[in-house]
Amino acid sequence: MTAKSTNFALYILMFNMFIAMSGIGLIIPIMPEYLGTFGVAGQALGFMIAIFALAQFLFSPFAGDLSDRYGRKMIIIIGLIIFGLSQLAFSLSTELWMLFVARFFSGFGAAFIIPPMMAFVADITSYENRGKGMGLLGASMSLGFMIGPGIGGFLSKISLETPFYFATGAALFAAILSIFILPNPKPVIDGDPTTKVRENLYQQMKRSTKTPYFIILIVMFVFSFGLANFQSTIALYVDHKYGYTPSQIAILITVGGFVGVIVQTFVINPLFRRYGEMRVILINLVISAFSMVGILFVDMFWSILMVATIFSTATSLLRPAVNTLVSKLAGKEQGYAAGMMNAYMSLGNMVGPALAGIVFDINVGYPYILGMVILLICFAIAATWAKQHGPLLASTRTL
């Protein structure tokens, strides 16, 4: 592909990722009230978060494998259609079990969107520009998740169902756009992918432990755990301890997300070129660990905002750093590697909120202490691995 067509394809992928993430984010502010119409509340919301992540975990490796076999474009389009229709099904549900089924299919659709997009970026970018491409895709993900709640809150003034209708229309529009204008480069893989024996989820997860990037997948799991831990409890923490209003909580989340978008768009590629992805990962594991526990030592709004923004910025750098490094180490199995990354991320998204909720009920500060300890243990493991695999990591550096 030419540089012009590569940039065009990347912009379409960024748009699709933005649509998917805003569709996930826009229902966040209305979910408590919407679930209230079914006579349920917090526990049901927690299960819905978990079932979404479970579906991603189950189907991300499958989607990555399919994209290696049949191309990225078709899988992305299928994912957008499933995601859009699941949002419509959610709005039309009349029983609680229907909401859970619809949410499961939303996770299914997201699993068919995210790994093929990451593999697509690896297909169309040069080795040297891989970090920039992953950073831009990550920025569109952060931007969508940041803007989504605001759109959802605005549209909910029309009706509680309107945000779901909007998410449906946006996802289907992205699918139609992709059908007609998204390129369909052939994945670069060894041999004929259609003749390879298809592995089940267990076999794929087992094989991931033997890849050269397994420790980096563990990093993905741990930082996703920490991020989900923080995001699922920060609103409860500041409400419980300081009585913050929803608008103040929204500012805490939005400012960090905005800074993350800027960093992923303009800063991350120079950082990768100068220091390498592994060093960026190690430094930001430490920053995220101490900023996470740092929330317990500040009590003014501006200081809490600053600490939350530091944490958000560190995690914004971690995701594309992990994605880029795994992609460079994956060789010609980009779909499989992207599927594994999303699977490990989904595991973190499942375990993080569940464990955080349990320890939060014991003491409101425990989730942040636990998160710090786990992130620092992960740093120690990753640093030891990096020291042992210096030549391998040196081969991934781009100057």
Side-chain angles (χ1 to χ4, degrees):
M1 295 178 67
T2 65
K4 185 176 180 179
S5 60
T6 295
N7 289 337
F8 178 74
L10 184 58
Y11 294 148
I12 298 299
L13 292 174
M14 290 171 63
F15 175 76
N16 287 349
M17 184 66 82
F18 171 79
I19 290 296
M21 291 301 106
S22 61
I24 294 171
L26 66 81
I27 70 171
I28 290 175
I30 65 170
M31 281 293 274
E33 185 176 353
Y34 191 80
L35 290 175
T37 64
F38 288 81
V40 294
Q43 187 175 13
L45 179 58
F47 281 128
M48 285 190 183
I49 294 172
I51 201 169
F52 183 94
L54 174 63
Q56 280 196 292
F57 168 68
L58 292 176
F59 293 106
S60 289
F62 179 57
D65 177 58
L66 286 179
S67 76
D68 275 343
R69 292 169 180 268
Y70 305 113
R72 322 298 185 197
K73 178 176 178 175
M74 181 177 69
I75 307 304
I76 292 170
I77 292 169
I78 291 173
L80 287 167
I81 292 172
I82 292 173
F83 181 80
L85 295 179
S86 70
Q87 298 290 71
L88 179 62
F90 197 95
S91 69
L92 298 177
S93 297
T94 56
E95 301 289 341
L96 183 62
W97 67 267
M98 295 180 183
L99 296 181
F100 282 105
V101 172
R103 199 65 183 150
F104 181 84
F105 276 97
S106 290
F108 182 105
F112 269 55
I113 295 170
I114 298 173
M117 283 192 188
M118 291 192 294
F120 201 126
V121 170
D123 290 339
I124 64 175
T125 55
S126 65
Y127 195 82
E128 294 77 13
N129 291 321
R130 187 76 47 84
K132 180 180 179 181
M134 291 296 182
L136 289 173
L137 195 67
S140 63
M141 179 184 292
S142 300
L143 185 64
F145 202 76
M146 181 182 71
I147 292 178
I151 298 174
F154 175 77
L155 293 175
S156 66
K157 295 179 180 179
I158 302 173
S159 74
L160 287 178
E161 291 78 18
T162 302
F164 299 101
Y165 299 151
F166 181 84
T168 299
L172 295 181
F173 172 74
I176 294 171
L177 193 69
S178 298
I179 289 172
F180 291 104
I181 66 175
L182 184 66
N184 191 29
K186 186 177 180 181
V188 182
I189 51 180
D190 291 320
D192 182 0
T194 61
T195 63
K196 292 184 178 180
V197 177
R198 179 170 285 132
E199 298 171 312
N200 59 37
L201 177 61
Y202 171 76
Q203 290 170 326
Q204 290 197 46
M205 294 295 291
K206 183 178 179 180
R207 179 155 69 95
S208 73
T209 65
K210 301 176 182 178
T211 62
Y213 49 83
F214 173 62
I215 292 298
I216 313 303
L217 293 177
I218 296 299
V219 171
M220 172 65 85
F221 165 75
V222 171
F223 104 77
S224 297
F225 168 92
L227 181 59
N229 184 330
F230 186 88
Q231 289 177 333
S232 64
T233 58
I234 186 62
L236 293 172
Y237 176 78
V238 295
D239 174 66
H240 177 86
K241 198 165 184 178
Y242 304 110
Y244 279 9
T245 64
S247 60
Q248 288 175 306
I249 295 171
I251 291 172
L252 289 178
I253 297 171
T254 303
V255 170
F258 180 71
V259 173
V261 170
I262 294 175
V263 168
Q264 288 174 321
T265 304
F266 301 107
V267 179
I268 199 161
N269 199 47
L271 282 178
F272 288 172
R273 288 180 178 272
R274 182 166 183 175
Y275 300 108
E277 293 84 8
M278 194 67 219
R279 189 173 296 179
V280 172
I281 289 171
L282 293 174
I283 291 173
N284 284 284
L285 279 172
V286 174
I287 293 174
S288 60
F290 285 108
S291 59
M292 190 171 195
V293 79
I295 207 77
L296 303 178
F297 297 94
V298 291
D299 55 9
M300 298 180 66
F301 178 78
W302 68 266
S303 57
I304 294 174
L305 175 62
M306 182 179 69
V307 173
T309 301
I310 292 172
F311 177 80
S312 180
T313 303
T315 55
S316 295
L317 287 166
L318 273 168
R319 189 188 305 275
V322 169
N323 289 342
T324 303
L325 184 55
V326 169
S327 177
K328 287 182 174 181
L329 294 173
K332 297 181 179 180
E333 286 192 316
Q334 294 296 327
Y336 169 76
M340 284 295 102
M341 281 190 285
N342 213 45
Y344 278 81
M345 180 186 71
S346 300
L347 277 177
N349 290 339
M350 279 191 291
V351 177
L355 190 55
I358 293 171
V359 297
F360 185 89
D361 287 340
I362 300 172
N363 184 292
V364 296
Y366 284 179
Y368 308 102
I369 296 172
L370 175 65
M372 179 197 68
V373 170
I374 291 176
L375 286 168
L376 290 179
I377 291 173
C378 180
F379 165 80
I381 295 172
T384 301
W385 179 85
K387 187 176 181 179
Q388 294 172 345
H389 295 79
L392 176 65
L393 292 172
S395 69
T396 68
R397 290 289 303 275
T398 55
L399 302 177

